[in-house]
């Protein structure tokens, strides 16, 4: 963390403007250098840029608390390079007149605050946390989510006691800063402060740097935001599933689950919630949000909500995150039992990301020995298997919602527009019901007859890839599903046939995956579906579910409307992922 000595400060509409106080030097080497030489008689004054105030946006404020005498300490982050954030701590002294002319005295607008009572601009006073802050409680409610739960302390008494007490107007300043810092831009969603987080680190996932990434890019952020953090490193496969399934009162203990991994740990956590035996599975799935600190090869969840795989940007999004409903997908697959002459049983699995068969599955699972290469292994694998024009014969049956681009575009626009005004309910009980430790499929299982209104995909014998999913990005440079929406009740389905593409077209399709324009190509079938069934041949092959290897046997997938919950940046919580250009 970079530390500064002392700033003069003023509250403005968009944040806090600070200026190094006379006789004080900041942590910037350039500022220190100019401050030193400015004392010499032959030196000209410091450059004007060093005398101009710097703005700390409210979104970048992590915490504010009392310091000595008439000062407060502010913990915040600054974007030091593109999408790279660095934590800082500074001491501030608030004055009405900072001695520079380019900033006028502004009063705070309350249009985007939870508390609609007028808040006057405080007099020049110090700001500290008030002791009565510990008495405040926050109902975990969000009108957009359609539910409310029990009361929780806003600030724990133990941590508040360690802070200096505040008085009157001093407390006014800090309460204004914290309210603005932890209120979403829509002005109606209160961001949970000092989140209680369960951090799951997979030390062996992806390139194997999860522990280092957490230590270097996230841990200090959470400490400066005064989050209550429990860190557990997974030691074996399904460890995260076991923790999500077996941890008592996990919903009451935590405000979110941070997955320091690729896409495997989120998959395990969701299926662990589903398998809980205490009757809290539905509540955990719907109301205990998960998020991802990007540490794997794909990092689709983090990229789809943050726009890239920056670990520091993801860390800030965790602290300032709000809950957003997402659709999940239910996959059923037959599983043989060990009992002689017994019938196969149905195994149910929740999928949050994707299912892939054909060239994409081979590019994913067939390049496991190259995990050390990170996302590059997907690119090389996709290039090799696509240009080989290999065929993967199978039978595919689909329940379509929209098949042509115009209908998909209309669906996309209408859904986003309606979401801003009226968030979809977290769960359509007609489509999703818990059944013990499983879920009740709407379309039956893979062992049932194919529903009559499902259509068989033509030319299945020439299929080269089938990719179905719910997130726009599958890695930082692959936008597989540009029309994907968090909770629109559909699965995006992408299908190609080997005989319909030349080598040049295949290469063009691969290159267009970066910006999602492959969805516009005539030889690519891109549709929105409610469910599908794939019946592969009995020979060996790859089937990838959320990046994990599954048996190469028939399977069926259907959408579970708004059955899960993500922790996302406030600007993403309005019913869509990051901008895809669709």
């Amino acid at each position: 963390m970079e530390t500064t000595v002392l700033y003069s400060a003023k509250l403005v509409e968009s944040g806090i403007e600070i200026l190094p106080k006379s006789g004080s030097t900041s942590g910037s080497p350039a500022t220190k250098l100019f401050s030193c030489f400015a004392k010499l008689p032959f030196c000209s004054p410091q450059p004007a840029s060093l005398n101009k105030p710097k703005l700390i946006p409210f979104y970048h404020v992590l915490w504010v608390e009392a310091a000595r005498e008439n000062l407060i300490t502010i913990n915040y982050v600054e974007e030091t390079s593109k999408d790279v954030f660095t934590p800082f701590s500074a001491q501030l002294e608030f004055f009405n007149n900072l001695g520079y002319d380019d900033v006028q005295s502004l009063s705070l607008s309350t249009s985007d605050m939870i508390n609609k009572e007028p808040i006057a601009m405080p007099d020049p006073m110090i700001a500290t946390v008030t002791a009565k802050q510990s008495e405040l409680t926050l109902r975990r409610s969000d009108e957009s989510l359609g539910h409310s739960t029990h009361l929780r302390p806003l600030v724990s008494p133990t941590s508040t006691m360690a802070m200096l007490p505040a008085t009157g107007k001093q407390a006014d300043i800090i309460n204004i800063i914290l309210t603005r810092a932890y209120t979403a831009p829509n002005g109606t969603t209160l961001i949970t402060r000092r989140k209680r987080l369960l951090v799951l680190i997979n030390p062996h996932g992806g390139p194997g740097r999860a522990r280092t990434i957490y230590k270097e890019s996230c841990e200090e952020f959470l400490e400066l935001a005064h989050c209550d953090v429990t860190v557990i490193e997974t030691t074996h496969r399904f460890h995260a599933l076991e923790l999500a399934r077996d941890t008592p009162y996990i919903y009451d203990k935590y405000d979110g689950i941070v997955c320091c991994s690729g896409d495997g740990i989120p998959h395990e956590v969701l299926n662990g919630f589903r398998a809980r035996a205490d009757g809290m599975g539905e509540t955990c799935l719907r109301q205990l949000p998960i998020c991802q600190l990007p540490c794997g090869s794909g990092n689709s969840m983090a990229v789809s909500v943050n726009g890239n795989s920056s670990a520091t940007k993801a860390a800030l999004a965790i602290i300032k995150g709000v809950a957003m409903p997402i659709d999940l997908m239910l996959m059923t697959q037959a599983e043989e039992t060990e009992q002689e002459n017994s019938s196969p049983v149905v195994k149910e699995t929740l999928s949050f990301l994707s299912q892939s068969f054909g060239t994409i599955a081979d590019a994913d699972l067939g390049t496991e020995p190259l995990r050390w290469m990170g996302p590059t292994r997907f690119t090389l694998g996709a290039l090799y298997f696509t240009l080989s024009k290999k065929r993967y014969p199978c039978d595919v049956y689909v329940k379509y919602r929209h098949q042509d681009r115009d209908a998909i575009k209309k669906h996309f626009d209408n859904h986003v527009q309606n979401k801003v005004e009226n968030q979809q309910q977290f769960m359509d009980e007609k489509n999703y019901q818990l059944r013990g430790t499983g879920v009740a499929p709407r379309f039956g299982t893979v062992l049932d007859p194919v529903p009559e209104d499902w259509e068989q995909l033509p030319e299945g014998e020439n299929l080269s890839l089938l990719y179905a999913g719910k997130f726009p990005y599958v890695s930082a440079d692959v936008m597989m599903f540009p029309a994907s929406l968090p909770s629109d009740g559909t699965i995006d389905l992408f299908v190609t046939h080997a005989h319909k593409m030349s080598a040049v077209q295949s290469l063009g399709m691969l290159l267009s995956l970066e910006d999602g324009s492959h969805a516009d190509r005539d030889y690519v079938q891109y549709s929105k579906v409610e469910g599908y069934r794939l019946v592969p041949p009995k020979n060996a092959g790859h089937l990838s579910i959320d990046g994990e290897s599954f048996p190469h046997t028939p399977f069926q997938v259907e959408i579970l409307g708004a059955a899960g919950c993500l922790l996302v940046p406030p600007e993403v919580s309005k019913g869509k992922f990051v901008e895809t250009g669709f």
Side-chain angles (χ1 to χ4, degrees):
M1 177 184 67
E2 300 291 337
T3 304
T4 54
V5 179
L6 181 62
Y7 287 95
S8 296
K10 176 186 287 187
L11 295 176
V12 294
E13 277 294 327
S14 53
I16 307 166
E17 285 190 334
I18 62 175
L19 188 71
K21 195 169 171 58
S22 176
S24 171
T25 58
S26 73
S28 166
T31 305
K32 291 180 179 179
L33 182 64
F34 277 108
S35 297
C36 177
F37 280 97
K39 298 177 182 178
L40 301 177
F42 54 83
C43 281
S44 59
Q46 294 184 27
S49 60
L50 295 178
N51 290 318
K52 288 186 177 181
K54 178 173 67 175
L55 177 69
I56 303 175
F58 284 117
Y59 183 77
H60 290 181
V61 174
L62 305 179
W63 196 251
V64 186
E65 61 186 37
R68 58 183 175 83
E69 299 177 354
N70 63 336
L71 305 175
I72 70 167
T73 297
I74 180 172
N75 301 332
Y76 67 101
V77 298
E78 184 176 322
E79 189 171 9
T80 50
S81 60
K82 183 173 175 56
D83 294 317
V84 175
F85 293 83
T86 303
F88 290 85
S89 185
Q91 290 189 343
L92 306 182
E93 188 172 15
F94 282 85
F95 290 91
N96 277 343
N97 189 343
L98 293 179
Y100 51 88
D101 300 328
D102 54 342
V103 176
Q104 301 297 322
S105 179
L106 298 176
S107 62
L108 279 176
S109 168
T110 59
S111 61
D112 59 346
M113 300 183 66
I114 294 293
N115 183 3
K116 296 302 181 181
E117 294 298 322
I119 298 179
M121 184 68 182
D123 292 333
M125 295 287 289
I126 62 172
T128 56
V129 171
T130 175
K132 71 177 182 179
Q133 187 86 9
S134 63
E135 301 172 6
L136 297 177
T137 55
L138 166 66
R139 181 176 296 275
R140 281 187 71 201
S141 63
D142 185 338
E143 295 177 359
S144 67
L145 304 183
H147 70 278
S148 63
T149 58
H150 58 279
L151 295 173
R152 289 176 167 171
L154 189 62
V155 179
S156 64
T158 54
S159 58
T160 303
M161 288 167 56
M163 299 177 184
L164 297 178
T167 58
K169 295 178 181 178
Q170 301 173 358
D172 289 341
I173 296 177
I174 201 167
N175 287 332
I176 288 174
I177 294 174
L178 287 176
T179 300
R180 294 292 292 269
Y182 284 91
T183 301
N186 63 14
T188 61
T189 302
L190 190 63
I191 300 170
T192 301
R193 307 177 193 175
R194 309 178 72 167
K195 291 183 175 71
R196 301 167 303 167
L197 301 170
L198 174 60
V199 177
L200 303 178
I201 300 176
N202 178 9
H204 306 295
R209 297 189 64 249
R211 184 188 298 114
T212 301
I213 292 172
Y214 173 73
K215 289 286 185 182
E216 294 181 352
S217 301
C218 184
E219 185 176 51
E220 189 173 18
F221 286 63
L222 302 183
E223 290 177 355
L224 291 176
H226 290 244
C227 293
D228 184 0
V229 180
T230 301
V231 179
I232 299 177
E233 287 195 10
T234 58
T235 59
H236 54 273
R237 191 181 184 192
F238 301 131
H239 189 183
L241 184 149
E242 294 163 3
L243 291 169
R245 181 191 63 198
D246 301 332
T247 300
Y249 309 109
I250 190 170
Y251 172 75
D252 294 318
K253 289 181 178 179
Y254 303 109
D255 299 307
I257 311 295
V258 181
C259 304
C260 302
S261 66
D263 300 316
I265 296 299
H267 175 88
E268 288 191 22
V269 169
L270 291 171
N271 280 280
F273 286 162
R274 179 192 66 86
R276 290 187 69 88
D278 60 0
M280 291 296 290
E282 175 185 342
T283 299
C284 290
L285 283 170
R286 295 176 57 202
Q287 298 180 17
L288 181 52
I290 66 173
C291 58
Q292 182 184 54
L293 185 73
C295 301
S297 300
N299 306 314
S300 62
M301 181 183 293
V303 176
S304 294
V305 300
N306 297 320
N308 53 48
S309 55
S310 165
T312 55
K313 186 175 183 180
L316 178 59
I318 292 168
I319 294 167
K320 295 304 181 79
V322 298
M324 178 180 75
I326 60 167
D327 295 338
L328 298 177
M329 295 166 284
L330 173 65
M331 186 188 82
T332 61
Q333 200 168 26
E335 190 175 57
E336 298 293 337
T337 64
E338 296 180 356
Q339 298 179 358
E340 188 175 355
N341 299 324
S342 61
S343 301
V345 297
V346 174
K347 179 181 179 181
E348 299 174 348
T349 302
L350 289 182
S351 170
F352 78 96
L353 172 60
S354 65
Q355 309 89 45
S356 64
F357 173 82
T359 58
I360 296 297
D362 282 352
D364 182 1
L365 302 177
T367 59
E368 281 290 324
L370 303 178
R371 273 192 174 272
W372 57 271
M373 298 180 65
T376 304
R377 72 182 179 95
F378 293 121
T379 304
L380 293 178
L383 182 64
Y384 172 78
F385 288 108
T386 299
L387 294 181
S388 68
K389 298 182 72 66
K390 183 178 178 180
R391 288 169 168 78
Y392 300 80
C394 61
D395 293 324
V396 181
Y397 305 88
V398 182
K399 169 66 173 177
Y400 286 108
R401 176 77 69 84
H402 302 295
Q403 289 184 258
D404 64 86
R405 179 178 171 81
D406 290 342
I408 295 173
K409 177 63 175 174
K410 183 177 180 180
H411 167 95
F412 184 92
D413 292 341
N414 289 342
H415 179 82
V416 171
Q417 182 177 357
N418 292 336
K419 275 286 190 174
V420 174
E421 301 298 330
N422 182 24
Q423 275 272 31
Q424 178 178 319
Q425 290 295 319
F426 243 43
M427 185 177 295
D428 181 350
E429 294 182 356
K430 295 180 181 178
N431 296 346
Y432 178 76
Q433 298 173 343
L434 288 180
R435 187 188 64 216
T437 59
V439 292
R442 181 165 47 130
F443 299 117
T445 75
V446 69
L447 295 180
D448 295 317
V450 176
E452 294 182 359
D453 59 344
W454 288 28
E455 301 178 32
Q456 183 170 3
L457 195 70
E459 301 182 289
E461 68 278 5
N462 292 313
L463 186 138
S464 58
L465 76 86
L466 180 145
Y467 208 157
K470 280 300 303 180
F471 283 80
Y473 285 92
V474 296
S475 66
D477 54 359
V478 178
M479 189 197 300
M480 192 66 70
F481 305 112
S484 179
L485 291 164
S487 53
D488 65 338
T490 69
I491 305 167
D492 285 37
L493 182 66
F494 170 34
V495 177
T496 65
H497 296 83
H499 71 293
K500 292 185 177 181
M501 295 189 298
S502 65
V504 173
Q505 289 174 324
S506 297
L507 182 60
M509 181 198 70
L510 290 177
L511 293 175
S512 66
L513 292 177
E514 183 174 1
D515 61 7
S517 60
H518 63 285
D520 297 328
R521 298 178 182 265
D522 293 337
Y523 46 83
V524 169
Q525 180 179 336
Y526 190 99
S527 56
K528 281 189 169 288
V529 307
E530 297 177 32
Y532 70 94
R533 180 182 297 184
L534 189 148
V535 182
K538 294 184 178 181
N539 58 304
H542 288 126
L543 172 61
S544 174
I545 308 298
D546 294 351
E548 302 296 315
S549 179
F550 273 66
H552 190 259
T553 60
F555 67 96
Q556 181 167 303
V557 178
E558 68 174 68
I559 195 70
L560 301 177
C565 182
L566 287 189
L567 192 64
V568 301
E571 65 270 18
V572 178
S573 64
K574 297 179 180 179
K576 62 180 296 187
F577 292 111
V578 294
E579 186 61 48
T580 64
F582 188 79

